[in-house]
Amino acid sequence: MASRRYSVVIADRKSGVIRRFTIPLGPTVTTVTIALTLPILIGLGARWSARTTLDDLTTTNARLTVENANYREATGQLSAQISVLQEAVDEIGATAAVDADASRAMEKLPAAIKTRVMGGMSTAATRAALTPMAPTDAALGVLSDLLGVLGTRLDSVRDSVERRHALANATPSVWPVAGWLTSYFGNRKDPITNDPDFHPGLDISADYGQPVLATADATVSSAAPNGAYGNMVTLDHGYGIVTKYGHLSRFAVMGGQRVKRGDVIGYVGSTGRSTGSHLHYEIWMNGRLTNPMTLLR
């Protein structure tokens, strides 16, 4: 069926010219409909696109907010770890130094004592702790792990420093009394019989009643008469180190008491097998006699 057609007549009043246009109904309606709906469709499409973009931005913003909060928390934890490590470094730096005399004397100790006391991480363990880690996508995780490794190493260093201090405090490094050396460690003539003799320590001549000092931190093993040694104090410094102080006139300590380097433990005398007022001083390490002069200034 043929579509309807409409004629449009246009007349010019001045010239009397008449123009006639014939318009088919179907195509005209279609064209008008398209012309009217196209802007609407374009607007709806633009609105939908804007809505989708807004939703994406909202989702992205929410994700970034969460990530930012996580980063803030992670960086806060890292800052706390760094602060703790800095405090540990400052603490170690402040406590690492030991008394010069004790340090020098400690270096003269037998290797067996120093090795047993100092211990610490093995070379392999140290190398493993300092080996760079494989990179990961989480940079903060890597930093956190690295700080953890550094913290472990600092703990090891702190422990080594504490052990070094303990050993330094237990190492006999000062003179037990101010006086004159009248007999050295080693072979000599017996001062009473003039026969060949081995002297197991030092004889230090000093005024009667002069204070005798502990040469390092220790526990008093005994404070009692002991044959030829007369009144004798024996100190156990730990780590296999023992010192003995003989011929005392009287005691200032008793068994089981803890003493520090420089504490008075007795007074110079001439008890036991003695030819005059003096102190007999011995050092034992791991059950063997040691020349005290190796540890004294």
Side-chain angles (χ1 to χ4, degrees):
M1 179 179 178
S3 63
R4 296 181 180 181
R5 304 174 68 86
Y6 294 87
S7 297
V8 178
V9 178
I10 300 176
D12 188 343
R13 293 181 178 181
K14 292 183 179 181
S15 62
V17 177
I18 298 175
R19 291 184 173 81
R20 185 186 303 271
F21 300 95
T22 300
I23 303 174
L25 179 60
T28 301
V29 171
T30 300
T31 301
V32 172
T33 300
I34 292 173
L36 293 176
T37 58
L38 185 60
I40 296 175
L41 293 176
I42 292 174
L44 291 175
R47 181 178 179 182
W48 178 81
S49 176
R51 182 67 181 180
T52 301
T53 301
L54 182 60
D55 290 343
D56 291 342
L57 290 175
T58 301
T59 301
T60 301
N61 182 64
R63 178 173 55 80
L64 291 176
T65 300
V66 172
E67 290 181 357
N68 184 55
N70 291 337
Y71 278 128
R72 285 179 181 274
E73 181 180 359
T75 53
Q77 292 174 352
L78 291 178
S79 297
Q81 283 182 277
I82 291 172
S83 297
V84 171
L85 292 178
Q86 184 60 55
E87 291 176 4
V89 170
D90 294 341
E91 176 188 350
I92 291 172
T95 60
V98 298
D99 177 76
D101 291 337
S103 177
R104 180 192 55 76
M106 187 169 57
E107 294 305 318
K108 301 294 183 65
L109 293 175
I113 291 179
K114 290 190 289 185
T115 300
R116 183 172 67 248
V117 173
M118 299 312 294
M121 294 180 66
S122 65
T123 302
T126 302
R127 187 181 300 111
L130 297 179
T131 300
M133 295 174 294
T136 65
D137 294 334
L140 291 178
V142 173
L143 289 176
S144 180
D145 291 343
L146 179 58
L147 289 176
V149 172
L150 292 177
T152 300
R153 291 293 299 123
L154 281 178
D155 288 341
S156 176
V157 172
R158 183 192 292 110
D159 185 53
S160 295
V161 169
E162 290 174 352
R163 289 198 301 270
R164 178 178 172 83
H165 268 278
L167 179 60
N169 292 335
T171 301
S173 59
V174 299
W175 289 87
V177 68
W180 299 267
L181 272 174
T182 56
S183 185
Y184 288 84
F185 176 90
N187 295 322
R188 68 168 186 174
K189 286 186 176 182
D190 186 285
I192 297 177
T193 66
N194 274 335
D195 293 333
D197 181 34
F198 177 83
H199 192 227
L202 302 178
D203 283 346
I204 307 171
S205 178
D207 294 335
Y208 188 92
Q210 188 171 333
V212 175
L213 311 180
T215 56
D217 296 0
T219 299
V220 179
S221 295
S222 65
N226 189 346
Y229 285 97
N231 293 332
M232 184 174 75
V233 169
T234 301
L235 299 184
D236 184 354
H237 304 274
Y239 313 109
I241 305 172
V242 173
T243 54
K244 297 181 179 182
Y245 310 76
H247 307 307
L248 302 176
S249 61
R250 59 191 176 96
F251 304 110
V253 293
M254 61 182 64
Q257 182 177 337
R258 284 292 299 174
V259 294
K260 296 287 188 180
R261 177 185 286 118
D263 287 350
V264 177
I265 59 174
Y267 300 90
V268 173
S270 185
T271 58
R273 190 172 185 271
S274 172
T275 58
S277 173
H278 74 285
L279 172 72
H280 175 81
Y281 177 57
E282 289 182 14
I283 296 180
W284 293 73
M285 293 189 184
N286 293 330
R288 301 181 62 181
L289 278 167
T290 299
N291 185 353
M293 291 300 293
T294 61
L295 303 183
L296 294 172
R297 285 183 298 186

